[in-house]
Amino acid sequence: MANIKFIKEDKEIVAADGANLRFKAIENGIDLYTFMGKLTNCGGYGQCGTCVVDIAEGGQNLSPRTAVEERKLKKRPSSCRLACQALVHGPVSVITKPDKKKKSQAASEPASSSAADDAEATPATEASAEAVERSS
Ligand code: FES
């Protein structure tokens, strides 16, 4: 058993060992997604990157980052995870919808790189780009 504390929502839930963080959040009415994430999320298949959460405490109690997370979260702090890819094995404290400003400060990237990062987080944009490439 593991406790998952959602800091912004001030809610703590109990999960079985190995529970999926996204599933437990949704099951307990925790809103993981921004407006665009609600419209474009992949349903928990690690494809969209919209279920980003920041792990304030207990990151060691989650399953290791997957290859998908390493790719989708390369410009985020190491404390960020994709909720759909993280399995809970012990107590964790979670910040939902982490601030993008924190991301850019941590990555120390120039402002021009944020547009590329935004495109990465919206699969609809990627799909559109692929469609254009195929049609030409
Ligand atoms: S819900 Fe799409 S990556 Fe997690």
Side-chain angles (χ1 to χ4, degrees):
M1 300 297 264
N3 285 12
I4 307 171
K5 181 173 185 173
F6 293 95
I7 294 172
K8 284 183 181 173
E9 295 78 7
D10 193 25
K11 189 169 187 177
E12 192 160 346
I13 62 174
V14 178
D17 187 42
N20 179 279
L21 181 56
R22 176 185 177 272
F23 181 79
K24 292 307 291 184
I26 291 173
E27 186 180 67
N28 289 278
I30 302 294
D31 190 9
L32 291 176
Y33 298 106
T34 61
F35 176 72
M36 281 305 291
K38 286 182 180 81
L39 297 176
T40 63
N41 81 79
C42 67
Y45 290 98
Q47 300 297 307
C48 65
T50 59
C51 62
V52 176
V53 293
D54 196 359
I55 306 301
E57 289 176 32
Q60 72 278 8
N61 295 326
L62 295 176
S63 56
R65 269 189 174 200
T66 64
V68 167
E69 289 179 283
E70 293 297 342
R71 188 164 43 89
K72 293 282 185 190
L73 301 174
K74 60 188 169 193
K75 293 185 179 176
R76 297 265 188 173
S78 60
S79 59
C80 284
R81 298 293 306 265
L82 293 180
C84 69
Q85 301 294 297
L87 304 179
V88 182
H89 297 291
V92 291
S93 295
V94 178
I95 301 169
T96 55
K97 298 181 245 182
D99 191 2
K100 281 191 170 189
K101 286 180 182 172
K102 183 180 175 189
K103 171 191 70 179
S104 47
Q105 286 171 353
S108 300
E109 295 283 329
S112 61
S113 70
S114 65
D117 188 50
D118 289 346
E120 180 182 276
T122 54
T125 306
E126 290 177 14
S128 301
E130 289 175 18
V132 170
E133 285 177 20
R134 273 189 240 127
S135 65
S136 57

